[in-house]
């Protein structure tokens, strides 16, 4: 069976994420600006890049190579068309992070925003080990409503199948999983959202 993310249109996803009642697209845009500028790196991999939200903050004077990774080939095509100014720097990679981890390239910074929820801690550990970054910066969603983790919106039906792959996230569990593979927590910030949910940014550094 296909991964649910291969069936969700980018238009539905982005319209849902940018609603005033959700505002996750806007929050992630500003967070990614900080993620791109936080560390002295030249290469980064963005896992679950979707439509490329936040890439406008990417300085081509700083980054030599940026890998955009997603399971949805349509999303990657949209990214390539939207960010032609990143030609020669941005490389889009069609990879299933659960079954094709070995295809991931190495990068100094790994960014994974609202992705770990859909692959689980174990798959994320394997992705980190394969990428071997110095720094990992990720955003997870914390929910006050256990039953309704996708915010109410006119586009809700587009996400019906996500229950099949969704994992509830918890800061301490992610920090413990990262510690198991040699990464220590160096930053934790919380960004409240309109409907009782929050985004939590957790950054890690390799201990090696």
């Amino acid at each position: 069976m296909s991964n649910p993310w291969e069936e969700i249109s980018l238009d539905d996803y982005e319209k849902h994420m940018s609603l005033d009642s959700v505002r996750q697209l806007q929050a992630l845009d500003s967070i990614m600006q900080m993620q791109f500028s936080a560390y002295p790196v030249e290469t980064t991999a963005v896992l679950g890049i979707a439509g490329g939200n936040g890439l406008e903050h990417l300085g081509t004077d700083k980054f030599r190579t940026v890998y955009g990774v997603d399971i949805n080939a349509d999303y990657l095509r949209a990214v390539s068309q939207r960010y032609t100014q990143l030609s020669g720097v941005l490389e889009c990679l069609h990879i299933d992070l659960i079954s094709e981890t070995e295809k991931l390239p190495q990068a100094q910074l790994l960014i994974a925003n609202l992705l770990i929820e859909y692959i689980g801690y174990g798959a994320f550990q394997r992705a980190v080990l394969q990428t071997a970054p110095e720094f990992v910066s990720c955003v997870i969603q914390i929910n006050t409503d256990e039953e309704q983790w996708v915010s109410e919106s006119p586009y809700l039906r587009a996400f019906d199948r996500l229950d099949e792959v969704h994992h509830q996230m918890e800061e301490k569990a992610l920090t413990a999983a990262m510690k198991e593979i040699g990464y220590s927590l160096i930053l934790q910030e919380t960004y409240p959202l309109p409907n009782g949910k929050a985004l939590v940014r957790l950054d890690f550094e390799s201990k090696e």
Side-chain angles (χ1 to χ4, degrees), residues 109-188:
L109 169 65
L110 182 68
I111 295 176
N113 296 337
L114 300 186
L115 167 96
I116 309 168
E117 286 91 329
Y118 301 107
I119 65 172
Y121 297 123
F124 186 60
Q125 285 177 317
R126 293 192 293 275
V128 172
L129 290 171
Q130 174 68 23
T131 314
E134 298 169 41
F135 302 97
V136 176
S137 184
C138 43
V139 172
I140 60 174
Q141 177 179 301
I142 302 301
N143 307 306
T144 52
D145 185 349
E146 296 291 329
E147 298 299 318
Q148 185 69 16
W149 54 270
V150 176
S151 299
E152 194 64 47
S153 93
Y155 308 100
L156 201 58
R157 293 306 302 270
F159 307 101
D160 278 352
R161 284 190 57 213
L162 287 185
D163 276 326
E164 298 171 22
V165 291
H166 182 259
H167 305 73
Q168 188 62 46
M169 289 289 101
E170 204 274 320
E171 301 103 311
K172 288 182 180 177
L174 177 56
T175 301
M178 292 298 287
K179 188 175 181 182
E180 282 178 12
I181 57 171
Y183 285 81
S184 53
L185 183 69
I186 57 173
L187 176 78
Q188 180 168 340

Side-chain angles (χ1 to χ4, degrees), residues 25-26 28-30 32-33 36 51-60 82-83 85-86 90:
L25 210 67
Q26 297 89 327
L28 287 172
D29 181 78
S30 60
M32 284 194 77
Q33 185 173 12
F36 284 137
N53 179 43
L55 285 181
E56 65 271 17
H57 304 301
L58 201 150
T60 53
R82 289 175 175 181
Y83 297 95
Q85 74 273 21
L86 298 177
L90 177 63

Side-chain angles (χ1 to χ4, degrees), residues 10-40:
L10 186 59
D11 189 57
D12 283 348
Y13 172 70
E14 291 184 333
K15 283 180 176 174
H16 168 80
M17 291 285 280
S18 61
L19 286 169
D20 282 341
S21 58
V22 180
R23 292 197 67 79
Q24 291 194 18
L25 210 67
Q26 297 89 327
L28 287 172
D29 181 78
S30 60
I31 292 171
M32 284 194 77
Q33 185 173 12
M34 294 182 279
Q35 289 172 314
F36 284 137
S37 62
Y39 304 108

